[in-house]
Amino acid sequence: MRGSTEVPHRFTKHIQAAFFVLWLSCLFLAQTAQAQRLPDFLASTPITDVFPGADRTGPVEGKPAIARVFAGNKPLGLVYLTTDVVNTRGYSSKPIDVLVGLSDSGRIMGAKLVEHHEPIVLIGIPQAKVDHFIQGYVGLNFVDAPPRHGAPPPVDIVSGATVTLMVIGDTITRSAIAVARAHGIDKSGAPRQTAQPAATRVIDESKDTVQTWQELLDAGAVKNLRLTPDDVNQAFLRSGRKDAAEHGEGGPDDTFIDLYAALVSAPSIGRSLLGDIGWQRLKERLKPGQQAVLVAGNGLYSFKGSGYVRGGIFDRIEVIQDESAFRFRDRNHQRLADVNAKGAPALREVALFVVPEDASLDPVKPWRLQLMVQRVLSVSDKAFVTFDLPYDLPTAYTRAVAPPTAPAAAGQPATAPAPSPDVETAPPALWKQIWQGKAGQIAILTVALTVLVGIFFFQDQLTSRPLLHDRLRLAFLAFALFWIGWYGQAQLSIVNVLTFFSALRTDFRWEYFLMDPLVFILWCATAISMVFWNRGAFCGWLCPFGALQELTNRIARRLGVRQLKIRHGVAQRLSTFKYVIFLLLFGFSLYDLAVAEQLAEVEPFKTAIILHFVRHWPFVLFAVALLAAGLFIERFFCRYLCPLGAALAIPARLRIFNWLKRYRDCGNPCQRCNIECPVQAIDPSGEINPNECIQCLHCQMLYHHKQKCPHLIQKQAKRERRPAPPPEPSVQEVVLHRMPTPNSANRPNRES
């Protein structure tokens, strides 16, 4: 029996060696310098797809690179590739290339996704949805109107937007503005001029006069946005959401919201609105260069909402300045009872916000407070419209500073030029915005991972209670399927592994992998758990598709479906298929990552978990066939075909700890664990194969079960049959027993 398992184990070791050779070799591959790719994409893409009405393009020119577009001899605008302009990349660490057509007036004429390697799209979002999202930018003009941070209309796409869509939206927005500025596109067609006053203004700290509420309004220090229910309904109608307009609340004379905003880091405004004590406390709290904003409101609609309670973020208001935008979090917020200025109205909500440290707000440049109005139409359908409250700090609260001077003459001290506020400040990293927006989901997943760690650390106490172990495992599998998979869309995939190694060979940056917080946390947890429990923590507990297989198999057994038993040697050889599949995918990824991503459809994860079986019938049929096989052979796909399981199993021999306990007679003669192991990870010799073990802890339940474990049953039987031993005799009793007594020779020997 031992000999029958040596070949598969040797084969696994050869696979491990081959993998590490490939991995080490790929680390030494130099990244091929990329030539300018705009001409290639223009040659393979019809110009009418990105610029309707055009019939030809000129040569690639300028920096950033663009190609002029013509209809005959008439110039229409230009075409550019987003990755030649901005360096926003997706989760795959690869560029997301979008061709954009920009008219001479700044209007986006067309946009097309021409290349990407996003696992989130490959295993999560239909390509048609991405294309439809991109078309929402066509017709927008970021020269005529201030840009809106994030996704523009159609607004109903926002509720379904994912990380990749946010990256694409951010890329198109910032690249369009940058190209317009670099190539002189303006309303008049002339190069844009920098406003000199904004470059020489700073807050005047000496002006701290206390003013009344009306004086602040008249001066423009406090700005106001007032909306009625009809204003909001009309906005939904203009956005094409008639159904949302019909869900409005309030009458024509009601106030939907009466919103106020003010920059209270200016001394006069701060003292007037906060009072002397409040202003002093704010000054002590603010760091150099940090700003603070007061937001207050009345009416039917709350600018706070309840998002900051659930996830720590105020999702209904956003501060936008140029291309930069940020939202406030609960730690930036202080609730105020009222406004201190004389004559101020009674306001239902008053909030003091400090600009987050990872964001920036130039106080002397115009900015706007964007209010998002949301209406929930159904569980899966939400509609959004936004309204802007523009703010520009009046010059009465600022002072002029001297412009940068020319270089000093010899022998004279040089004056350092003042920094120009007109220089664009980088917006907060997109991955930080995503993590902030998913703070609630991150907290739930962290709690779940903590529970799983507790299960493993206290596995003896858990598995000694079979019913508790079974119910807890069932609940965790349901959580993995319904919350991690179908709700959180955090199904890990072999595509993630391939893109990770591709990034190691090319341009590895952590921010690329931080774009999806749930996936990143799961990968980190999986990597750490492999040191302790090999691949079992993920494959056995956290994989949504694995959970789906096990839960459906449980239902099948309850319904009386007969399980197929495969001989151990055959099962060992069948399990090598998943390693072959993984090595083939890995090899193709070194040649062409796009080809490997297409071949990765051998995983049914995208169909069954991400798209909920709403896909073309061949993919659905393939996924259903694998699940059907799993009804007769538990975790059929995991055991024989899963390339991700193979990738995680290859370093399994490197684990430091072994938590699974065994008796000496496990495997010889006892075979119960071998027979009952759900994935046949226990050899007939009694040894547990770490490459196949999913840490379901079933063998540990048997280890502690006094009615099922033959070793414990035999031990208990021996204990019950053996009489209690007599007490040990003392030395004196032994001596007296051995001394001869009178007439002892005539007595019978009772000991015989």
Side-chain angles (χ1 to χ4, degrees), residues 284-525:
E284 295 171 359
R285 181 180 177 184
L286 292 178
K287 296 181 179 180
Q290 194 175 27
Q291 308 301 323
V293 176
L294 183 138
V295 182
N298 272 332
L300 302 173
Y301 192 72
S302 167
F303 69 84
K304 290 185 177 181
S306 58
Y308 76 100
V309 178
R310 298 190 306 270
I313 189 169
F314 290 82
D315 57 355
R316 293 187 177 183
I317 55 174
E318 185 176 21
V319 174
I320 303 174
Q321 187 175 62
D322 295 334
E323 297 93 80
S324 174
F326 61 86
R327 298 184 188 274
F328 298 110
R329 300 188 62 80
D330 53 355
R331 59 175 174 267
N332 313 128
H333 165 251
Q334 178 184 346
R335 181 180 179 275
L336 301 180
D338 53 19
V339 174
N340 196 71
K342 183 179 180 181
L347 297 167
R348 183 166 63 92
E349 292 179 321
V350 183
L352 174 63
F353 294 105
V354 174
V355 174
E357 295 182 16
D358 58 354
S360 61
L361 180 66
D362 190 336
V364 298
K365 291 179 66 177
W367 53 273
R368 54 197 169 99
L369 183 72
Q370 187 175 89
L371 174 71
M372 180 186 70
V373 178
Q374 170 185 309
R375 285 182 178 169
V376 180
L377 307 179
S378 65
V379 176
S380 60
D381 189 13
K382 301 177 183 178
F384 304 85
V385 289
T386 58
F387 299 89
D388 290 337
L389 193 165
Y391 191 93
D392 191 1
L393 185 66
T395 55
Y397 302 94
T398 65
R399 63 181 177 86
V401 294
T405 58
Q412 295 181 352
T415 303
S420 173
D422 195 57
V423 178
E424 295 184 18
T425 56
L430 184 58
W431 70 266
K432 292 183 179 180
Q433 301 175 33
I434 296 171
W435 279 66
Q436 292 171 359
K438 293 191 174 183
Q441 296 181 15
I442 293 171
I444 293 174
L445 182 59
T446 303
V447 171
L449 293 175
T450 304
V451 171
L452 184 58
V453 171
I455 289 174
F456 286 137
F457 269 90
F458 299 100
Q459 65 183 36
D460 289 338
Q461 291 80 359
L462 176 63
T463 54
S464 62
R465 299 169 174 82
L467 183 61
L468 176 61
H469 165 255
D470 184 71
R471 294 296 181 266
L472 184 58
R473 177 163 174 77
L474 184 64
F476 208 96
L477 290 175
F479 171 80
L481 174 61
F482 290 98
W483 195 89
I484 296 179
W486 284 339
Y487 172 76
Q489 306 280 279
Q491 169 72 64
L492 302 189
S493 167
I494 190 61
V495 175
N496 304 121
V497 178
L498 300 180
T499 53
F500 177 78
F501 283 108
S502 177
L504 288 179
R505 293 187 298 110
T506 54
D507 184 19
F508 180 85
R509 296 184 186 179
W510 279 114
E511 55 265 31
Y512 301 154
F513 298 93
L514 290 167
M515 287 296 184
D516 193 320
L518 298 186
V519 171
F520 180 81
I521 293 172
L522 280 175
W523 271 120
C524 291

Side-chain angles (χ1 to χ4, degrees), residues 729-739:
S730 64
V731 175
Q732 292 180 349
E733 291 174 336
V734 172
V735 173
L736 291 174
H737 178 72
R738 292 181 178 179
M739 289 179 63

